[in-house]
Amino acid sequence: MIKRYVQTKINHRVVEAAGILHFGGLIADDLSLDMKGQTAQVCQKIDKLLEEVGSSKEQLITAMIYIADFSQKDGMNEAWLEWLPAEHLPTRATIGVAELGKDVLIEVVVSAAR
C-alpha cells in the first residue's frame, strides 16, 4: 500500500511504500544564506516533515545531496554533522550540479524508515 503526505502543486513531499518514507527534494527558504545556512534550513525542514509522518532523523536511511558550489561543501558538511550525530548518519552521496535555481545552493532528497 502506498501513502502520500503533504501534497503540493507538483508532488507530494513524502510518499510511503513498504514502510519506507521517500522525500522529495527540499531547498532552503532563505536563499540569501551561504551553503552552511541553507543546509541547516533544509535539515530543519526534514526534521519537521519526519515528525509529521511519524519518524525522526534517527530513522534516516539514505541521502542524495545536490550542490551547486563545491567550494562551499565544507560548510554543508559542518551543518550536516551539527544536525546528525555520528551514530545516526545515513548513507549519502553528494552530487555537483551546474544549477539548482536562482541562488539555490543545495537540494536534499532523503529516505527514512517509519
Side-chain angles (χ1 to χ4, degrees):
M1 180 185 211
I2 295 175
K3 294 181 183 176
R4 300 172 198 284
Y5 305 91
V6 192
Q7 185 173 357
T8 73
K9 183 178 178 180
I10 61 168
N11 71 357
H12 282 82
R13 291 273 183 231
V14 183
V15 174
E16 181 178 4
I20 304 296
L21 300 161
H22 303 273
F23 290 69
L26 297 166
I27 64 170
D29 293 323
D30 183 352
L31 301 179
S32 69
L33 297 172
D34 63 6
M35 179 81 72
K36 183 176 181 179
Q38 286 191 26
T39 302
Q41 277 200 347
V42 170
C43 292
Q44 290 172 354
K45 284 178 140 180
I46 293 169
D47 272 338
K48 184 177 183 241
L49 282 169
L50 283 163
E51 184 179 332
E52 284 182 36
V53 297
S55 191
S56 67
K57 65 186 174 186
E58 291 80 13
Q59 300 294 346
L60 287 173
I61 298 167
T62 191
M64 299 290 288
I65 301 175
Y66 302 91
I67 60 174
D69 183 355
F70 255 87
S71 73
Q72 294 190 53
K73 184 179 177 189
D74 288 344
M76 182 264 303
N77 282 331
E78 286 176 30
W80 185 257
L81 294 173
E82 288 170 6
W83 176 59
L84 279 171
E87 65 271 16
H88 295 296
L89 291 170
T91 63
R92 188 182 103 174
T94 304
I95 302 135
V97 296
E99 185 179 332
L100 291 165
K102 184 171 177 17
D103 299 322
V104 178
L105 298 173
I106 183 168
E107 183 170 352
V108 180
V109 177
V110 296
S111 63
R114 175 163 290 283

